[in-house]
Amino acid sequence: MATSTDGTRQVTIAQVATLAGVSVPTVSKVLNGRTDVAPATRARVESLLAEHGYRRRRARVSQAPGLLDLVFHELDSAWAQEVIKGVEDTASLHRVGVVLSELGGAHRPPQELIDDILARKPLGVILVLSSLDATQRHQLESRSIPFVVVDTAGEPPAGVPTVGSNNWNGGLSAVRHLLALGHRRIGVVSGPHDVLCSRARVDGYRSALEEAGVPWDLDLVRWGDFAVNGGYRHARDLLALPDRPTAIFAGSDLQSLGVMRAAREAGLRIPEDLSVVGYDDLPISQWLGPSLTTVRQPLREMASTATQMLLDLAGGATLPNPRIDLATELVVRESTAPPADPPA
């Protein structure tokens, strides 16, 4: 028998089986993510589980080590390694193992991955720059598998636990720094337009320009992919403009690497001819030549916070604040300086 959070009786597996016209073992197979159920039958059972608000009673916490699923949109970056480290640091303290999955750049897991998660029955799921649709959310909720989103790709539904950073303020502080140095032609190479943190950083960039009375020029805005190649490609376009920018704010430290290479190929010195500001403060940023001025995003702390939230939920706790945005900080190093020919 499943019970709701307010103690009222809910539909049983046997009742769902009767309504679906299938056996109790078939409903159990669907709940446990088994693949040996016909797609039409699975869809009918899932629909009834959602319709009747079925929630599996949370099992008592076992003394054996548990697992959590960590789902990334992409893994091949130092950014991802920082997040993994933050999750692992906290999970290991609780003797919890981590199962790592990648979505190949997509922002929503395929149903096959959800089925695998249901079969594993982890303590919970952490989604990084990815999210679930309504059906997938209910599948996890009905099995009492909590989930937390890190750096959400879009605006999450109400009540979905999320951990991020103050991206708008990060963009604002980066561009305020460049404006204070005397720059007025400031380009921006951001991440994807459909990713929330990208838009927030560009909004901060725009707010800093408006605050200083500098016109907003769409020719100086490029939407990229947070990767080195994208930073390189878009910086080449910006630096080829007749009135090129004297500074570029990149949406990630990895994009900054591409910006720096494009500048070198154009015969420009950093920071004498072009100032560059990155985002994230990855460990490599302080070892570049010149070292990178960047916005520090507390990636490990974000990941650690999300992991602790997930473990609290798995233990039956109610989160006092399901949405947390950690502070960002501008770190000034050697890649920024006043423009060679400041405005009169």
Side-chain angles (χ1 to χ4, degrees):
M1 171 70 71
T3 57
S4 65
T5 54
D6 62 5
T8 59
R9 291 166 62 90
Q10 289 188 5
V11 66
T12 65
I13 292 179
Q15 290 169 332
V16 171
T18 300
L19 291 170
V22 300
S23 67
V24 169
T26 297
V27 177
S28 182
K29 286 180 181 180
V30 173
L31 284 168
N32 292 320
R34 292 271 296 275
T35 59
D36 52 341
V37 179
T41 301
R42 178 186 298 276
R44 187 163 69 253
V45 171
E46 289 285 6
S47 177
L48 287 166
L49 291 170
E51 179 184 346
H52 293 278
Y54 177 87
R55 294 290 179 93
R56 172 179 282 167
R57 182 185 293 110
R58 192 183 303 277
R60 292 184 178 180
V61 177
S62 168
Q63 296 302 310
L67 294 174
L68 67 80
D69 270 83
L70 176 58
V71 180
F72 271 87
H73 77 302
E74 282 183 314
L75 273 175
D76 57 345
S77 70
W79 184 95
Q81 296 302 315
E82 289 294 297
V83 174
I84 292 170
K85 182 64 175 172
V87 170
E88 177 61 29
D89 284 348
T90 299
S92 63
L93 291 176
H94 298 270
R95 297 184 64 222
V96 171
V98 179
V99 178
L100 196 57
S101 301
E102 185 193 37
L103 303 181
H107 294 291
R108 181 163 295 157
Q111 187 56 44
E112 292 81 0
L113 177 57
I114 298 298
D115 291 340
D116 290 343
I117 290 172
L118 298 182
R120 275 194 289 273
K121 301 178 185 176
L123 295 173
V125 182
I126 297 175
L127 299 127
V128 182
L129 266 177
S130 54
S131 59
L132 306 171
D133 62 28
T135 298
Q136 292 171 336
R137 288 199 303 275
H138 180 264
Q139 285 181 291
L140 295 186
E141 289 167 351
S142 65
R143 280 76 167 179
S144 292
I145 300 175
F147 54 92
V148 177
V149 180
V150 176
D151 231 357
T152 175
E155 187 65 31
V160 172
T162 60
V163 179
S165 67
N166 194 332
N167 290 287
W168 180 85
N169 190 70
L172 182 78
S173 62
V175 180
R176 276 179 172 172
H177 169 66
L178 293 170
L179 290 164
L181 289 172
H183 294 278
R184 294 298 178 268
R185 292 285 291 173
I186 302 172
V188 59
V189 179
S190 189
H193 187 273
D194 61 348
V195 172
L196 187 63
C197 65
S198 302
R199 299 197 303 272
R201 292 169 197 176
V202 174
D203 285 345
Y205 158 89
R206 181 173 183 172
S207 296
L209 293 177
E210 291 176 346
E211 178 182 75
V214 176
W216 163 259
D217 188 348
L218 283 175
D219 286 343
L220 297 180
V221 179
R222 298 291 187 277
W223 298 97
D225 56 7
F226 289 136
V228 176
N229 288 339
Y232 171 73
R233 183 175 67 255
H234 289 302
R236 287 188 62 183
D237 290 344
L238 288 170
L239 297 177
L241 293 173
D243 186 11
R244 69 166 179 83
T246 61
I248 293 178
F249 167 43
S252 74
D253 290 349
L254 296 177
Q255 284 179 318
S256 296
L257 297 178
V259 171
M260 288 179 160
R261 176 168 178 174
R264 288 194 300 271
E265 291 182 357
L268 301 176
R269 300 164 300 164
I270 298 172
E272 293 85 356
D273 304 314
L274 180 73
S275 286
V276 179
V277 178
Y279 204 104
D280 290 327
D281 194 28
L282 298 177
I284 193 176
S285 63
Q286 61 186 306
W287 297 103
L288 298 175
S291 59
L292 182 65
T293 294
T294 185
V295 176
R296 176 177 295 149
Q297 181 175 211
L299 293 172
R300 291 196 188 187
E301 186 178 353
M302 288 162 56
S304 178
T305 299
T307 305
Q308 189 59 59
M309 289 169 66
L310 187 73
L311 295 175
D312 289 345
L313 288 169
T318 299
L319 299 178
N321 183 7
R323 187 161 187 172
I324 297 177
D325 281 327
L326 301 181
T328 56
E329 176 188 3
L330 181 69
V331 180
V332 179
R333 296 194 178 103
E334 300 170 341
S335 65
T336 51
D341 297 308

